[in-house]
Amino acid sequence: MRIVLCYPVESQHIARIQSVWPEAELVDAGQERIAAQLPTADIYCGHAKVPVPWDEVVAGGRLQWIQSSAAGLDHCLVPSVVDSTITVTSASGVLAKQVADQTFALLLGVLRNLPTYFRAKEAREFIRRPTRDLYGARVGIVGLGGNGRLLARLLKAFDCSVIATDWFPEQKSPFVDEILPADRVDDLLPRVDVLILAAPLTDHTRGLIDARRLRMLPAGAVVINVARGPIIVESDLVEVLNSGHLWGAGVDVTQVEPLPNDSQLWAVPNVIITPHVGGQRASRIDDMTDLFCENLRRYRAGKPLANLVDKRLGFPEPSQIYGAV
């Protein structure tokens, strides 16, 4: 059994993985060697950020299981993998705590008008400006996976009412007041003060939030994207923000990363931009290794894997998410 890794493991993580399967051959390929090593893998754990020969891997017939080290799966769910017998599991839930931190940093920063105060600090201006409240707000969440469910739980501490859309509306959460089917985003938008995007990037969600839908939000609404940049049509977001319809936006992800220097998004005054740091956490690699080791044990024992992905949809069911709330 050959297990190929492509996430930033240290010797301690490799030792922990090896202890679960002592007979297995472990290869720490990293980004530098993953394209060459992936075709030789029986099991692969990681997130390749460089081109890899997925069609060749599938045609080779050796790879049995992909454990993504990211919650999003657009890096590996290419058509040949989707059509294959390869099992795919995600990192849903592993990153939820840090994504929640990032979401609240962006959301509270936008609501409390911090972009204005950051500029005022540079000008040494001590002048009160309008602010908005999170307490009691109506919040809509698009995508109720591991990240979305934890966000809903935390938002309840602010006495928020929470509405969500999801592919599995029948899988209720005690922290969500109403769950609508994924195709009813238009029904959600007019009813919320804050829109949080927490869905994976799929054919369904690419370009989901365009100018028409942004204008369906009530005047003064806030948009937060901690999912994937292409879920929002970025030029439409700039246009609607500049029109004054929205109070502001916070984005941790952009359509192109790094965000180009000439992007108009940089010039919008009521936007907070962070460079896709929502997944950062001191214990991230420890947490990812915990999940992989747990799934390795299950795999060896023939038990169902955590975060098993429906490859046609591009994500796992909420009930299967590791550490689901």
Side-chain angles (χ1 to χ4, degrees):
M1 181 60 62
R2 198 163 199 258
I3 301 174
V4 173
L5 307 175
C6 183
Y7 70 109
V9 291
E10 300 174 359
S11 57
Q12 58 174 315
H13 305 113
I14 294 174
R16 286 167 57 192
I17 296 167
Q18 193 77 71
S19 70
V20 176
W21 204 326
E23 305 83 9
E25 177 188 3
L26 259 64
V27 178
D28 178 13
Q31 300 296 332
E32 299 79 12
R33 297 193 296 144
I34 187 57
Q37 294 296 328
L38 187 57
T40 70
D42 298 295
I43 296 172
Y44 163 59
C45 178
H47 177 189
K49 299 179 181 180
V50 297
V52 293
W54 283 117
D55 291 349
E56 176 188 335
V57 170
V58 173
R62 178 167 180 171
L63 186 63
Q64 303 169 26
W65 167 31
I66 298 169
Q67 170 63 70
S68 171
S69 61
L73 296 166
D74 42 294
H75 64 96
C76 65
L77 280 188
V78 299
S80 58
V81 171
V82 172
D83 292 337
S84 75
T85 60
I86 297 170
T87 297
V88 178
T89 52
S90 80
S92 295
V94 174
L95 311 180
K97 293 177 182 177
Q98 53 265 50
V99 171
D101 284 354
Q102 189 70 22
T103 302
F104 276 88
L106 292 170
L107 177 54
L108 290 167
V110 172
L111 285 170
R112 302 307 293 181
N113 210 1
L114 293 191
T116 294
Y117 293 123
F118 291 151
R119 291 190 296 273
K121 175 181 176 291
E122 295 302 315
R124 301 183 180 233
E125 294 177 350
F126 197 82
I127 303 172
R128 288 184 176 179
R129 305 289 186 186
T131 60
R132 294 278 301 283
D133 305 325
L134 179 55
Y135 272 94
R138 302 172 302 167
V139 180
I141 301 175
V142 174
L144 206 57
N147 293 342
R149 287 179 176 252
L150 180 57
L151 285 169
R153 173 182 151 194
L154 298 175
L155 285 162
K156 280 301 177 182
F158 288 83
D159 292 332
C160 294
S161 61
V162 179
I163 311 170
T165 60
D166 195 73
W167 281 98
F168 301 96
E170 72 283 356
Q171 296 191 20
K172 304 301 183 183
S173 164
F175 308 106
V176 181
D177 299 286
E178 185 178 357
I179 306 178
L180 302 174
D183 60 359
R184 289 184 58 190
V185 172
D186 285 2
D187 294 334
L188 175 147
L189 296 174
R191 300 170 56 190
V192 301
D193 308 303
V194 173
L195 176 66
I196 299 176
L197 303 177
L201 180 62
T202 65
D203 290 342
H204 172 77
T205 61
R206 187 180 297 274
L208 181 70
I209 306 300
D210 57 10
R212 180 185 71 84
R213 287 194 162 123
L214 289 168
R215 292 190 179 279
M216 291 182 70
L217 290 163
V222 167
V223 176
I224 303 295
N225 189 5
V226 288
R228 286 292 187 269
I231 293 177
I232 296 182
V233 179
E234 204 163 274
S235 58
D236 288 358
L237 178 63
V238 170
E239 174 194 336
V240 177
L241 282 164
N242 284 334
S243 76
H245 180 68
L246 300 175
W247 173 266
V251 296
D252 184 51
V253 289
T254 54
Q255 198 162 328
V256 176
E257 295 180 5
L259 185 63
N261 289 338
D262 60 356
S263 170
Q264 295 182 23
L265 195 61
W266 290 114
V268 182
N270 51 340
V271 172
I272 297 178
I273 301 169
T274 53
H276 205 151
V277 294
Q280 291 185 182
R281 177 181 167 96
S283 64
R284 174 177 179 167
I285 307 307
D286 295 338
D287 298 341
M288 184 60 234
T289 302
D290 286 344
L291 169 60
F292 187 41
C293 287
E294 171 62 23
N295 263 347
L296 275 177
R297 294 185 192 97
R298 296 187 187 193
Y299 187 84
R300 296 198 71 186
K303 296 181 179 179
L305 301 180
N307 292 357
L308 181 64
V309 170
D310 181 327
K311 292 191 290 183
R312 297 293 172 185
L313 289 179
F315 45 85
E317 292 188 23
S319 62
Q320 298 181 342
I321 291 174
Y322 184 69
V325 296

